[in-house]
Every structure is written in C-alpha cells, then in structure tokens.
C-alpha cells in the first residue's frame, strides 16, 4: 500500500477557563510543531458566532501560520463560499500565493459554518441559499486561473495580483453533493469523515465515478478524521472525554467552550447522553499510537486514500501537541529539525486578539 500522508485540521478550539486569544496562540504553536514533525498540510476551519471555535476568517490566520513555518502547506478547511464573492476569495488567495508561493491551499465548502440566523446576518441584504454554489465554484476556478469570465457582467474582470502559481483548490463535503460536484469539475475533494462517517465511502466512490479532467487531470482525495493519541489507551480514552462532553452538551442545546477532563468525569450523564457518547466513540479513533495507526491504516486502505487530515482536540494543549507527535512517529513522518524560514517580518507580535468572544454556538450539523 502507498505510504499514508498525514495533515492537520485545526478548528482553533477554545477551552473552558481559557480565552479565544489563548486558542489562537496555541494554533500558532501547534502549526510550528507539526511543521517540524513532517505533516503535509495545516488547514484552518471557518466558524461564526461561536464561543468554542475561534476562527471566523481562515484567510487572516493563514499568513500568520505560513510565516511561522517553513515547509508545510497552509490553507483553509475551509472558506464557506456561499457567504462571499468568488472574486474576493480568489484575490485573497492569489495574494496569499504571491506571499507564500507553492504553499497555499484553498479549501471551500457550501455549508454556513454557523446557524441560519448568523448566515443571514453575514449575507446582509444579499440573496441566501446554496443553489448558487456550483456557479460560484465555476467562477472561482476561472478567477484563480486568471481567466476573464465569459458571460456579462464579468467579461472584463480578472482576479489580481498576477502570480506565477495558483493555490491548490479543494472542495470539502460531508455528504454526496459536493463529492459529485468536485468530480464533475475535476477538483480535489476532501470528505469530513469526522462529521458524517456513514457517507464517506459512497462520497468517494461517487467522486471518482463522476470525475472528469478539469482543474486536475486525475482524482485527488483525502479524508478528515477525528483522532487522538496518548502513550497508553487508557490515557487517550481519558483525554477524549473532554471533546465527548462538548458534543453531548451540544445535543442538549448547551453551547460553550471545551470542558476539562475533570468536568467531563464529574458530569451527570443521562441514559440518552450515554447513547450519544457511544456514537462518538465509534466514529473517533482514540488510543495508543499503535492502536490508532492500525485503525487509520485500515480506514485509508478501505477508502483507497493516501492522505488523512487529522482533527485532534484536547483541553490540554500539551496533550494535543503530544498526540500529533506520537502519530507522526507511528507513521514514520520525516521530521524537519531546521528552524522555520520566515518570508515576511515576524508575526509574533500581531496576535493581540480580544478575549471577549462568548457568543452562542450555532448548529454543528450545518457546518460542512
């Protein structure tokens, strides 16, 4: 089997007792860490009106991450395109590609990354609905490639700045529709197994069946997976309780930051909560490096993919970094011991973020 490549999806989680500013600092530290470990990509998710996930603008965080790393690709996982003009997104990412050539990924999705009320506020007078999404993607592809659009009123408009290379475009999805669209347009496709594992195999099958040469000459797919490693199975199971309780609370309409392990251990779970916990355990890969490597390898083999994008959330940032470290070692990633080479001036002093970020969390079923 082809060796498995590992990448990272960062939702920039906020922990109970901490702040959004701390979460953003932890993101920059984690990005430097996994760059040294040999991960291929570092993708940043977009969420709005959330007290638990603190990145509303991946395009702002991407250059800060790229600035502090040297070889890892950096991108969005993803930009929720229905909120935005394809021209604006294309110009933002052409600019990023100009600053960090050969290292920028543009992952796009059609879900709001929020609840419907927040989506309406983001639209602010524009037409709502995802029916425009396929046309938006086609326009985005043309703008990224530097083409003038063929139909009025866009025939004389091109995305700038001029750049020798283009960002790598990925369509994201957790169902079937985006997989089909990615195949029909000849784009790369990333499936969110951590959101909807039951549809992963079918989505990839449909993507490959529908694929026609377009942006790419051949299909290219990866899968986003929730995984957590610790030195022992017991320790990994203990650490995972934090994220599990967070999801349990969401199902009960209780929104907030990620609880600590102690909070999760002391929580008065109902029988219904325990059913939810069991579902979460079944779709997460948790354990020692050997246990998680075996399960990830089996999943990649089953789905015929050679890249997995790993989402790991723990209350303790050191445990999160350790998880990615153990996983890199288990898969034999090629570590980079050199110091990051900065392209621009230091970004260290730029992350002075307001800590007042306590709005309610939206409906997660609509995120991807």
């Amino acid at each position: 089997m082809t060796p498995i490549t590992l990448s990272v999806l960062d939702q920039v989680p906020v922990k109970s007792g901490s702040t959004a500013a701390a979460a953003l600092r932890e993101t920059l530290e984690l990005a430097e860490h996994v760059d040294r470990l040999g991960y291929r990509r570092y993708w940043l998710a977009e969420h709005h009106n959330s007290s638990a996930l603190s990145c509303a603008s991946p395009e702002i965080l991407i250059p800060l991450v790229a600035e502090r790393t040297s070889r890892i690709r950096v991108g969005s996982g993803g930009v929720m395109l229905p909120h935005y003009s394809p021209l604006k997104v294309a110009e933002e990412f052409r600019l990023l590609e100009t600053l960090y050539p050969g290292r920028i990924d543009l992952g796009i999705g059609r879900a709001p990354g929020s609840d419907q009320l927040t989506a309406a506020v983001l639209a602010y007078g524009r037409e709502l609905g995802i029916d425009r999404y396929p046309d938006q993607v086609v326009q985005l592809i043309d703008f990224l490639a530097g083409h003038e659009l063929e139909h009025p009123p866009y025939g004389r408009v091109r995305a700038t700045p001029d750049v020798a290379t283009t960002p790598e475009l990925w369509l994201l999805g957790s169902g079937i529709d985006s997989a089909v669209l990615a195949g029909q347009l000849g784009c790369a496709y990333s499936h969110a197994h951590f959101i909807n594992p039951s549809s992963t195999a079918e989505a990839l099958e449909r993507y490959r069946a529908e694929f026609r040469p377009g942006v790419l000459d051949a299909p290219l797919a990866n899968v986003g997976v929730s995984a957590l490693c610790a030195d022992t199975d017991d320790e990994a199971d203990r650490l995972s309780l934090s994220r599990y309780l967070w999801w349990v609370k969401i199902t009960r309409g209780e929104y907030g930051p990620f609880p600590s392990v102690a909070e999760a251990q002391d929580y008065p779970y109902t029988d219904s909560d325990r059913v939810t916990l069991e579902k979460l355990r079944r779709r997460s890969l948790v354990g020692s490096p050997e246990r998680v490597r075996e399960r990830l390898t089996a999943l990649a083999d089953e789905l015929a993919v050679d890249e997995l994008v790993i989402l790991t959330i723990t209350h303790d940032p050191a445990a999160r970094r350790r998880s990615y470290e153990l996983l890199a070692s288990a898969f034999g990633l090629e570590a980079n011991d050199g110091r990051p080479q900065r392209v621009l001036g230091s970004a260290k002093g730029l992350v002075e973020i307001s800590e007042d970020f306590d709005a309610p969390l939206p409906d997660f079923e609509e995120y991807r």
Side-chain angles (χ1 to χ4, degrees):
M1 181 180 172
T2 304
I4 297 172
T5 298
L6 298 182
S7 296
V8 175
L9 173 63
D10 186 357
Q11 295 181 324
V12 196
V14 181
K15 307 179 300 294
S16 64
S18 188
T19 64
L24 291 164
R25 289 192 292 269
E26 289 162 10
T27 279
L28 298 180
E29 292 168 359
L30 179 63
E32 288 183 315
H33 188 57
V34 298
D35 181 47
R36 290 191 294 267
L37 292 173
Y39 283 78
R40 184 174 187 179
R41 309 177 197 276
Y42 198 95
W43 283 359
L44 295 147
E46 175 183 335
H47 298 102
H48 299 278
N49 193 25
S50 170
S51 60
L53 305 172
S54 55
C55 180
S57 301
E59 63 274 20
I60 291 178
L61 268 184
I62 286 169
L64 298 181
V65 170
E67 165 75 4
R68 295 174 69 127
T69 55
S70 62
R71 64 176 183 174
I72 198 168
R73 297 187 65 89
V74 187
S76 56
V79 167
M80 301 296 104
L81 188 59
H83 295 316
Y84 310 115
S85 156
L87 174 61
K88 177 62 173 174
V89 174
E91 291 195 323
E92 288 173 342
F93 278 80
R94 285 173 69 93
L95 178 58
L96 290 169
E97 181 70 20
T98 303
L99 295 171
Y100 304 98
R103 291 184 60 203
I104 299 300
D105 292 340
L106 170 53
I108 58 171
R110 68 175 192 166
S114 69
D115 60 282
Q116 291 299 323
L117 175 60
T118 303
V121 174
L122 282 165
Y124 195 66
R126 292 183 291 108
E127 179 184 356
L128 287 173
I130 60 173
D131 55 311
R132 300 176 299 122
Y133 180 65
D135 289 338
Q136 285 184 293
V137 177
V138 171
Q139 290 180 19
L140 178 64
I141 290 170
D142 283 338
F143 281 135
L144 286 173
H147 299 157
E148 289 184 353
L149 297 199
E150 296 179 358
H151 53 281
Y154 306 111
R156 304 180 67 87
V157 176
R158 299 178 66 166
T160 57
D162 291 333
V163 59
T165 57
T166 56
E168 195 169 284
L169 179 65
W170 290 77
L171 268 62
L172 313 182
S174 59
I176 307 300
D177 291 348
S178 290
V180 170
L181 180 63
Q184 292 173 344
L185 296 177
C187 296
Y189 175 66
S190 180
H191 188 84
H193 177 276
F194 65 93
I195 291 178
N196 190 7
S198 64
S199 71
T200 306
E202 181 184 358
L204 291 172
E205 181 180 352
R206 291 290 303 278
Y207 166 66
R208 292 166 181 139
E210 296 284 347
F211 188 88
R212 302 292 182 271
V215 177
L216 302 175
D217 294 328
L220 176 64
N222 65 33
V223 173
V225 182
S226 174
L228 172 59
C229 275
D231 291 288
T232 66
D233 290 341
D234 287 345
E235 176 61 8
D237 289 338
R238 187 185 73 85
L239 292 170
S240 69
L241 294 175
S242 173
R243 182 169 177 267
Y244 292 163
L245 175 56
W246 181 69
W247 272 107
V248 165
K249 286 188 170 185
I250 287 175
T251 66
R252 297 164 64 103
E254 301 173 16
Y255 305 116
F258 287 84
S260 67
V261 172
E263 289 175 277
Q265 289 173 327
D266 293 340
Y267 190 77
Y269 296 97
T270 66
D271 290 342
S272 177
D273 293 337
R274 296 186 188 283
V275 171
T276 301
L277 283 173
E278 184 55 33
K279 290 179 181 178
L280 291 169
R281 288 191 175 99
R282 284 200 302 268
R283 78 183 195 185
S284 299
L285 290 85
V286 173
S288 66
E290 295 78 14
R291 177 180 174 185
V292 175
R293 180 190 61 196
E294 180 179 349
R295 294 185 63 191
L296 285 175
T297 300
L299 180 65
D301 190 26
E302 175 190 348
L303 300 174
V305 295
D306 59 13
E307 181 179 5
L308 299 173
V309 185
I310 308 300
L311 169 65
T312 301
I313 295 177
T314 62
H315 190 269
D316 179 2
R320 189 176 178 217
R321 292 192 298 271
R322 177 63 172 162
S323 178
Y324 282 111
E325 182 180 329
L326 291 170
L327 203 54
S329 178
F331 278 89
L333 300 191
E334 182 183 351
N336 171 26
D337 295 326
R339 295 177 62 84
Q341 298 177 2
R342 315 245 186 246
V343 178
L344 301 176
S346 173
K348 184 176 181 180
L350 299 182
V351 188
E352 297 295 336
I353 310 296
S354 169
E355 299 185 3
D356 182 14
F357 202 84
D358 56 0
L361 189 67
D363 181 1
F364 271 67
E365 290 304 314
E366 302 172 353
Y367 269 14
R368 294 283 286 277

